[in-house]
Structures are given as structure tokens and as C-alpha cells.
Amino acid sequence: MIIRIEPESEIPIYIQLTNQIIIGIAKGDLQPGDSLPSVRSFAADLGVNMHTVNKSYHELEKRGIIEIIPKSGAVIRKTLHIDRDTYNRLFEMFQPLIAEALVLGMTKEELVDLVEGIMKKMST
Amino acid sequence: MIIRIEPESEIPIYIQLTNQIIIGIAKGDLQPGDSLPSVRSFAADLGVNMHTVNKSYHELEKRGIIEIIPKSGAVIRKTLHIDRDTYNRLFEMFQPLIAEALVLGMTKEELVDLVEGIMKKMST
DNA sequence: TAATGTGTTCTATTTAATGTAGAACAATTT
DNA sequence: AAATTGTTCTACATTAAATAGAACACATTA
């Protein structure tokens, strides 16, 4: 799985990493039950600090995407059906993006096409 | 138009304001050609600092949503069809959200329903 | 004309976020 | 036994975020 970190980006490194891990899971590069690299080895590979990777892992855990097993490792969780709190959180995240797309001139059809186009690149 | 600022949120105030203005435009509460309040009066209404509102306005201008006319005011732009850079920017914003929704167990149908449901609440 | 309101710009301060760094710990794994 | 694991702690530097006050040039209004 390929991770690209752009240190000069305005997006914090730990968020870049978090997003790319999520995309990797969605694409099937990482599957439920798989382990993520240790924070130390991953940090060495990416050329960032151990604590930055650790922050990503805890962000993923907070969102219910991985399970961190102390003294062992980080494992991709098997996801059941979405719960109400998570649905509401996703709603709040999608709303401003959809509003912006419409305000900037996308039609509803174009927006649905964009979303479906992105989904087609994901396997799960 | 109703703006709710939550000072205790982890989301910066200027982003909360930016998002809610965008949603207000998408819903039709604000229309192209309308003026936004002055940074001073808006800041007074919201109970935040003038510079915070100013930052929101410049964020909206950078995204092509409003036009700031020096010594005059901020006006909602009439949007033409979306350009390539804007499309790519929206793509990069949507991708991690869609991936997360799928990873957390939403089906593609549920995700399209969520997006269409949010769109239905917008008029434009 | 005089007064007010406008966005802009500047300095300044405080707090929080971000990223890096090093060390030590207890538990697991090899 | 040795190496690796996530955790925790302190520490430091830089940037972001938010507030505050002042002054400026220009526009609008009374």
C-alpha cells in the first residue's frame, strides 16, 4: 500500500496519514483483521515522527476503524452496520461539502456522478 | 438566516461560520447578488471578533463563493459552471469522506441516499 | 460638509495545535 | 534473554486560532 505524505501541505501530517489509511481500507489494500505497521517502523518508512503516527492510529480508533491492542498492534476492525451517532457525524461532515459543490455550480446529477465515480474506485 | 456558533467546538469558529454561510446560500437563504453583513456588525451579532469574520469572508472569496468589494461589502457571486481546479479540489475533499463511510459499513445505496437526502434540503 | 460605516492593515497578546525529540516503562513476541 | 510493542512523560519550536486595539483611505449617509 502506497502512502504519500506532503510535509508542505496545509493539511496536518497525521490527517493526511489517517485519510490515506482509510482510503486504503476502502480500496481493499487493507482488509479487516490485517495489522497496521508498528508506529515506529511506519514512522521510519514515512520519514515522520513516531508520535505523529501514533496520533493517526488513535484518530482511527476514535472513529471505530481500527482496534489498538496494547503491547501488540493496530488491527483493522470488521465493521458491522453503521450506528446512529456515526451516521450523524458523517451527515455533519458531508453537508458543507455538498452545499459548497452546489453553490459552486455543480448540478445534482453531476454531484451524484462524482460520488458514484469515487465509490467505483473503492471495492468494499 | 440563522447562524449558530459553538465556541467550545473543536472546529475553528471561522470554519463554522464559513460552512454555515455556504449552507445558507445552498438553501437559498442567501442569493447571488445579496450582500453579507459588514464584518463589524456580523461579529457583534455572533459575539466573536471582527478578524474572525474577516477570515471567513476571505476563505469564501478564495473558494470563489463571494466577491469582496473593498470599502463596500461582500457579495454572493453568481456561479457559472464549475472549472477543473475546483472539481479536483472537491474530489480531494469528498474522497476521504466517502471512503470512511464505506469502511464504517454504509452500503453504496445508503451513501447515495445520504447524499441525495442532503441535496433535497438545498434549493439551488 | 460632517459624520458614520466600510474593508484593510498593523501590532500585540494569549491559547491551542502540530510536529519533533528523547527517555523510560511494562508487556508481548521472537 | 533480547527485541519489539504501545504507552506515557517531559520538552521544545513553530504555526494556527482568536481576541484586542488602533489607524488608514474610501464610500455612503445625514
Short mmCIF file of all heavy atoms in Angstrom, two decimals, chain C residues 1-16:
data_model
loop_
_atom_site.label_atom_id
_atom_site.label_comp_id
_atom_site.label_asym_id
_atom_site.label_seq_id
_atom_site.Cartn_x
_atom_site.Cartn_y
_atom_site.Cartn_z
P DT C 1 -17.13 70.41 0.94
OP1 DT C 1 -16.35 71.59 0.70
OP2 DT C 1 -16.65 69.06 0.76
"O5'" DT C 1 -17.86 70.47 2.34
"C5'" DT C 1 -18.20 71.72 2.93
"C4'" DT C 1 -18.80 71.42 4.27
"O4'" DT C 1 -19.99 70.59 4.08
"C3'" DT C 1 -17.87 70.62 5.17
"O3'" DT C 1 -18.05 71.06 6.51
"C2'" DT C 1 -18.37 69.17 4.98
"C1'" DT C 1 -19.86 69.37 4.79
N1 DT C 1 -20.52 68.30 3.98
C2 DT C 1 -21.54 67.59 4.53
O2 DT C 1 -21.95 67.78 5.65
N3 DT C 1 -22.10 66.64 3.69
C4 DT C 1 -21.74 66.36 2.40
O4 DT C 1 -22.30 65.49 1.75
C5 DT C 1 -20.65 67.14 1.89
C7 DT C 1 -20.16 66.91 0.50
C6 DT C 1 -20.10 68.06 2.68
P DA C 2 -16.93 70.64 7.59
OP1 DA C 2 -16.68 71.78 8.49
OP2 DA C 2 -15.80 69.98 6.88
"O5'" DA C 2 -17.72 69.51 8.41
"C5'" DA C 2 -18.98 69.85 8.97
"C4'" DA C 2 -19.63 68.60 9.58
"O4'" DA C 2 -20.11 67.74 8.51
"C3'" DA C 2 -18.66 67.75 10.41
"O3'" DA C 2 -19.33 67.34 11.61
"C2'" DA C 2 -18.34 66.56 9.50
"C1'" DA C 2 -19.59 66.43 8.65
N9 DA C 2 -19.35 65.92 7.29
C8 DA C 2 -18.36 66.29 6.43
N7 DA C 2 -18.41 65.67 5.27
C5 DA C 2 -19.51 64.84 5.38
C6 DA C 2 -20.11 63.94 4.48
N6 DA C 2 -19.64 63.70 3.24
N1 DA C 2 -21.21 63.27 4.90
C2 DA C 2 -21.66 63.52 6.13
N3 DA C 2 -21.20 64.35 7.07
C4 DA C 2 -20.10 64.99 6.62
P DA C 3 -18.57 66.43 12.67
OP1 DA C 3 -18.92 66.92 14.02
OP2 DA C 3 -17.16 66.29 12.27
"O5'" DA C 3 -19.30 65.02 12.45
"C5'" DA C 3 -20.72 65.00 12.34
"C4'" DA C 3 -21.19 63.60 12.01
"O4'" DA C 3 -20.98 63.32 10.60
"C3'" DA C 3 -20.45 62.49 12.78
"O3'" DA C 3 -21.39 61.65 13.43
"C2'" DA C 3 -19.64 61.75 11.72
"C1'" DA C 3 -20.41 62.04 10.44
N9 DA C 3 -19.57 62.09 9.25
C8 DA C 3 -18.42 62.81 9.08
N7 DA C 3 -17.87 62.67 7.89
C5 DA C 3 -18.74 61.81 7.23
C6 DA C 3 -18.73 61.27 5.94
N6 DA C 3 -17.78 61.53 5.03
N1 DA C 3 -19.74 60.44 5.59
C2 DA C 3 -20.69 60.17 6.50
N3 DA C 3 -20.82 60.62 7.75
C4 DA C 3 -19.79 61.44 8.05
P DT C 4 -20.86 60.44 14.34
OP1 DT C 4 -21.77 60.35 15.50
OP2 DT C 4 -19.41 60.62 14.54
"O5'" DT C 4 -21.10 59.18 13.40
"C5'" DT C 4 -22.33 59.07 12.67
"C4'" DT C 4 -22.21 58.01 11.61
"O4'" DT C 4 -21.36 58.47 10.54
"C3'" DT C 4 -21.59 56.69 12.11
"O3'" DT C 4 -22.50 55.63 11.94
"C2'" DT C 4 -20.32 56.52 11.25
"C1'" DT C 4 -20.64 57.37 10.04
N1 DT C 4 -19.44 57.89 9.34
C2 DT C 4 -19.24 57.58 8.01
O2 DT C 4 -20.03 56.91 7.37
N3 DT C 4 -18.11 58.13 7.46
C4 DT C 4 -17.15 58.92 8.09
O4 DT C 4 -16.18 59.34 7.49
C5 DT C 4 -17.41 59.19 9.48
C7 DT C 4 -16.46 60.04 10.26
C6 DT C 4 -18.53 58.68 10.04
P DG C 5 -22.15 54.16 12.48
OP1 DG C 5 -23.41 53.53 12.94
OP2 DG C 5 -20.99 54.27 13.38
"O5'" DG C 5 -21.68 53.41 11.15
"C5'" DG C 5 -22.49 53.48 9.98
"C4'" DG C 5 -21.80 52.79 8.82
"O4'" DG C 5 -20.75 53.67 8.31
"C3'" DG C 5 -21.11 51.46 9.19
"O3'" DG C 5 -21.42 50.48 8.21
"C2'" DG C 5 -19.63 51.81 9.19
"C1'" DG C 5 -19.55 52.92 8.16
N9 DG C 5 -18.43 53.84 8.36
C8 DG C 5 -18.07 54.48 9.52
N7 DG C 5 -17.02 55.25 9.40
C5 DG C 5 -16.65 55.09 8.06
C6 DG C 5 -15.57 55.68 7.34
O6 DG C 5 -14.71 56.47 7.74
N1 DG C 5 -15.58 55.26 6.01
C2 DG C 5 -16.49 54.39 5.46
N2 DG C 5 -16.34 54.11 4.16
N3 DG C 5 -17.50 53.84 6.12
C4 DG C 5 -17.51 54.24 7.41
P DT C 6 -20.96 49.00 8.39
OP1 DT C 6 -22.08 48.16 7.89
OP2 DT C 6 -20.43 48.82 9.75
"O5'" DT C 6 -19.75 48.85 7.37
"C5'" DT C 6 -20.00 48.98 5.97
"C4'" DT C 6 -18.71 49.02 5.20
"O4'" DT C 6 -18.03 50.29 5.45
"C3'" DT C 6 -17.66 48.00 5.63
"O3'" DT C 6 -17.93 46.75 5.02
"C2'" DT C 6 -16.38 48.62 5.09
"C1'" DT C 6 -16.67 50.12 5.16
N1 DT C 6 -15.89 50.84 6.23
C2 DT C 6 -14.75 51.49 5.89
O2 DT C 6 -14.32 51.51 4.76
N3 DT C 6 -14.11 52.11 6.94
C4 DT C 6 -14.51 52.16 8.26
O4 DT C 6 -13.86 52.75 9.11
C5 DT C 6 -15.71 51.44 8.54
C7 DT C 6 -16.23 51.40 9.95
C6 DT C 6 -16.35 50.82 7.53
P DG C 7 -17.28 45.43 5.59
OP1 DG C 7 -18.06 44.27 5.09
OP2 DG C 7 -17.10 45.62 7.03
"O5'" DG C 7 -15.84 45.42 4.89
"C5'" DG C 7 -15.76 45.41 3.48
"C4'" DG C 7 -14.34 45.74 3.05
"O4'" DG C 7 -13.92 46.97 3.70
"C3'" DG C 7 -13.30 44.67 3.44
"O3'" DG C 7 -12.34 44.54 2.38
"C2'" DG C 7 -12.67 45.25 4.70
"C1'" DG C 7 -12.73 46.75 4.42
N9 DG C 7 -12.78 47.54 5.64
C8 DG C 7 -13.67 47.43 6.68
N7 DG C 7 -13.47 48.28 7.65
C5 DG C 7 -12.36 49.01 7.23
C6 DG C 7 -11.67 50.07 7.87
O6 DG C 7 -11.90 50.60 8.96
N1 DG C 7 -10.60 50.53 7.10
C2 DG C 7 -10.24 50.01 5.87
N2 DG C 7 -9.19 50.56 5.28
N3 DG C 7 -10.89 49.02 5.26
C4 DG C 7 -11.93 48.57 5.99
P DT C 8 -11.08 43.58 2.59
OP1 DT C 8 -10.63 43.14 1.25
OP2 DT C 8 -11.40 42.59 3.61
"O5'" DT C 8 -9.99 44.56 3.17
"C5'" DT C 8 -9.59 45.68 2.41
"C4'" DT C 8 -8.38 46.35 3.04
"O4'" DT C 8 -8.79 47.05 4.24
"C3'" DT C 8 -7.26 45.38 3.46
"O3'" DT C 8 -6.06 45.70 2.78
"C2'" DT C 8 -7.15 45.56 4.97
"C1'" DT C 8 -7.77 46.91 5.20
N1 DT C 8 -8.44 47.09 6.54
C2 DT C 8 -7.96 48.04 7.40
O2 DT C 8 -7.02 48.76 7.15
N3 DT C 8 -8.66 48.12 8.60
C4 DT C 8 -9.74 47.37 8.99
O4 DT C 8 -10.26 47.53 10.09
C5 DT C 8 -10.17 46.38 8.04
C7 DT C 8 -11.33 45.52 8.36
C6 DT C 8 -9.52 46.30 6.86
P DT C 9 -4.84 44.70 2.83
OP1 DT C 9 -4.07 44.90 1.58
OP2 DT C 9 -5.31 43.36 3.20
"O5'" DT C 9 -3.99 45.28 4.03
"C5'" DT C 9 -3.71 46.67 4.08
"C4'" DT C 9 -3.12 47.07 5.42
"O4'" DT C 9 -4.17 47.16 6.42
"C3'" DT C 9 -2.10 46.08 5.99
"O3'" DT C 9 -0.85 46.73 6.14
"C2'" DT C 9 -2.69 45.64 7.33
"C1'" DT C 9 -3.63 46.79 7.66
N1 DT C 9 -4.76 46.43 8.56
C2 DT C 9 -4.95 47.18 9.70
O2 DT C 9 -4.24 48.12 10.00
N3 DT C 9 -6.02 46.79 10.47
C4 DT C 9 -6.90 45.74 10.21
O4 DT C 9 -7.82 45.48 10.98
C5 DT C 9 -6.63 44.99 9.01
C7 DT C 9 -7.51 43.86 8.65
C6 DT C 9 -5.59 45.38 8.25
P DC C 10 0.48 45.81 6.30
OP1 DC C 10 1.52 46.50 5.52
OP2 DC C 10 0.15 44.38 6.03
"O5'" DC C 10 0.81 45.96 7.85
"C5'" DC C 10 1.13 47.25 8.36
"C4'" DC C 10 0.92 47.31 9.86
"O4'" DC C 10 -0.50 47.21 10.15
"C3'" DC C 10 1.52 46.15 10.65
"O3'" DC C 10 2.88 46.45 10.98
"C2'" DC C 10 0.64 46.10 11.89
"C1'" DC C 10 -0.62 46.85 11.51
N1 DC C 10 -1.87 46.04 11.66
C2 DC C 10 -2.72 46.29 12.73
O2 DC C 10 -2.42 47.18 13.54
N3 DC C 10 -3.84 45.55 12.87
C4 DC C 10 -4.12 44.60 11.99
N4 DC C 10 -5.25 43.89 12.16
C5 DC C 10 -3.28 44.32 10.88
C6 DC C 10 -2.16 45.06 10.76
P DT C 11 3.78 45.32 11.75
OP1 DT C 11 5.20 45.70 11.57
OP2 DT C 11 3.31 44.00 11.34
"O5'" DT C 11 3.38 45.52 13.28
"C5'" DT C 11 3.31 46.81 13.84
"C4'" DT C 11 2.72 46.75 15.24
"O4'" DT C 11 1.31 46.42 15.16
"C3'" DT C 11 3.36 45.68 16.13
"O3'" DT C 11 3.79 46.24 17.35
"C2'" DT C 11 2.26 44.63 16.33
"C1'" DT C 11 0.99 45.44 16.13
N1 DT C 11 -0.13 44.60 15.59
C2 DT C 11 -1.32 44.57 16.28
O2 DT C 11 -1.52 45.19 17.31
N3 DT C 11 -2.29 43.77 15.70
C4 DT C 11 -2.17 43.03 14.55
O4 DT C 11 -3.11 42.35 14.14
C5 DT C 11 -0.90 43.11 13.88
C7 DT C 11 -0.66 42.34 12.62
C6 DT C 11 0.05 43.89 14.42
P DA C 12 4.69 45.37 18.33
OP1 DA C 12 5.48 46.31 19.15
OP2 DA C 12 5.38 44.34 17.54
"O5'" DA C 12 3.63 44.64 19.27
"C5'" DA C 12 2.57 45.37 19.85
"C4'" DA C 12 1.60 44.44 20.57
"O4'" DA C 12 0.62 43.95 19.62
"C3'" DA C 12 2.27 43.18 21.16
"O3'" DA C 12 2.33 43.33 22.58
"C2'" DA C 12 1.35 42.03 20.74
"C1'" DA C 12 0.16 42.70 20.09
N9 DA C 12 -0.38 41.98 18.93
C8 DA C 12 0.22 41.78 17.73
N7 DA C 12 -0.51 41.10 16.88
C5 DA C 12 -1.68 40.83 17.57
C6 DA C 12 -2.86 40.14 17.23
N6 DA C 12 -3.06 39.57 16.04
N1 DA C 12 -3.83 40.06 18.17
C2 DA C 12 -3.62 40.63 19.36
N3 DA C 12 -2.57 41.30 19.79
C4 DA C 12 -1.62 41.37 18.84
P DT C 13 3.09 42.24 23.46
OP1 DT C 13 3.60 42.95 24.65
OP2 DT C 13 4.01 41.49 22.58
"O5'" DT C 13 1.93 41.24 23.92
"C5'" DT C 13 0.71 41.78 24.43
"C4'" DT C 13 -0.33 40.68 24.56
"O4'" DT C 13 -0.85 40.37 23.24
"C3'" DT C 13 0.21 39.37 25.12
"O3'" DT C 13 -0.35 39.13 26.41
"C2'" DT C 13 -0.18 38.31 24.10
"C1'" DT C 13 -1.18 39.00 23.21
N1 DT C 13 -1.14 38.56 21.79
C2 DT C 13 -2.24 37.95 21.24
O2 DT C 13 -3.26 37.75 21.88
N3 DT C 13 -2.10 37.58 19.93
C4 DT C 13 -1.01 37.76 19.12
O4 DT C 13 -1.01 37.38 17.96
C5 DT C 13 0.12 38.40 19.75
C7 DT C 13 1.38 38.63 18.97
C6 DT C 13 0.00 38.77 21.03
P DT C 14 0.16 37.89 27.29
OP1 DT C 14 0.03 38.28 28.70
OP2 DT C 14 1.47 37.46 26.75
"O5'" DT C 14 -0.90 36.74 26.98
"C5'" DT C 14 -2.30 37.05 27.04
"C4'" DT C 14 -3.11 35.88 26.50
"O4'" DT C 14 -3.02 35.85 25.07
"C3'" DT C 14 -2.63 34.51 26.99
"O3'" DT C 14 -3.69 33.86 27.67
"C2'" DT C 14 -2.20 33.77 25.73
"C1'" DT C 14 -2.93 34.52 24.63
N1 DT C 14 -2.23 34.51 23.31
C2 DT C 14 -2.90 34.07 22.20
O2 DT C 14 -4.05 33.68 22.23
N3 DT C 14 -2.17 34.12 21.03
C4 DT C 14 -0.86 34.55 20.88
O4 DT C 14 -0.32 34.55 19.79
C5 DT C 14 -0.22 35.00 22.08
C7 DT C 14 1.19 35.48 22.04
C6 DT C 14 -0.93 34.95 23.23
P DT C 15 -3.39 32.50 28.51
OP1 DT C 15 -4.28 32.55 29.68
OP2 DT C 15 -1.92 32.35 28.65
"O5'" DT C 15 -3.92 31.35 27.54
"C5'" DT C 15 -5.22 31.45 26.95
"C4'" DT C 15 -5.34 30.52 25.77
"O4'" DT C 15 -4.50 31.00 24.70
"C3'" DT C 15 -4.88 29.08 26.06
"O3'" DT C 15 -6.00 28.23 26.00
"C2'" DT C 15 -3.85 28.78 24.96
"C1'" DT C 15 -4.08 29.88 23.95
N1 DT C 15 -2.87 30.28 23.19
C2 DT C 15 -2.87 30.15 21.81
O2 DT C 15 -3.81 29.73 21.19
N3 DT C 15 -1.71 30.56 21.20
C4 DT C 15 -0.57 31.06 21.81
O4 DT C 15 0.41 31.38 21.15
C5 DT C 15 -0.64 31.16 23.24
C7 DT C 15 0.54 31.69 23.99
C6 DT C 15 -1.77 30.78 23.87
P DA C 16 -5.76 26.62 26.28
OP1 DA C 16 -7.01 26.14 26.90
OP2 DA C 16 -4.46 26.42 26.95
"O5'" DA C 16 -5.65 26.00 24.81
"C5'" DA C 16 -6.64 26.34 23.85
"C4'" DA C 16 -6.23 25.83 22.48
"O4'" DA C 16 -5.09 26.57 22.00
"C3'" DA C 16 -5.84 24.35 22.44
"O3'" DA C 16 -6.59 23.72 21.42
"C2'" DA C 16 -4.34 24.35 22.14
"C1'" DA C 16 -4.14 25.68 21.43
N9 DA C 16 -2.81 26.27 21.61
C8 DA C 16 -2.21 26.62 22.78
N7 DA C 16 -1.02 27.15 22.62
C5 DA C 16 -0.82 27.15 21.26
C6 DA C 16 0.26 27.58 20.44
N6 DA C 16 1.37 28.12 20.93
N1 DA C 16 0.12 27.43 19.11
C2 DA C 16 -1.01 26.88 18.63
N3 DA C 16 -2.08 26.45 19.29
C4 DA C 16 -1.91 26.61 20.61
#
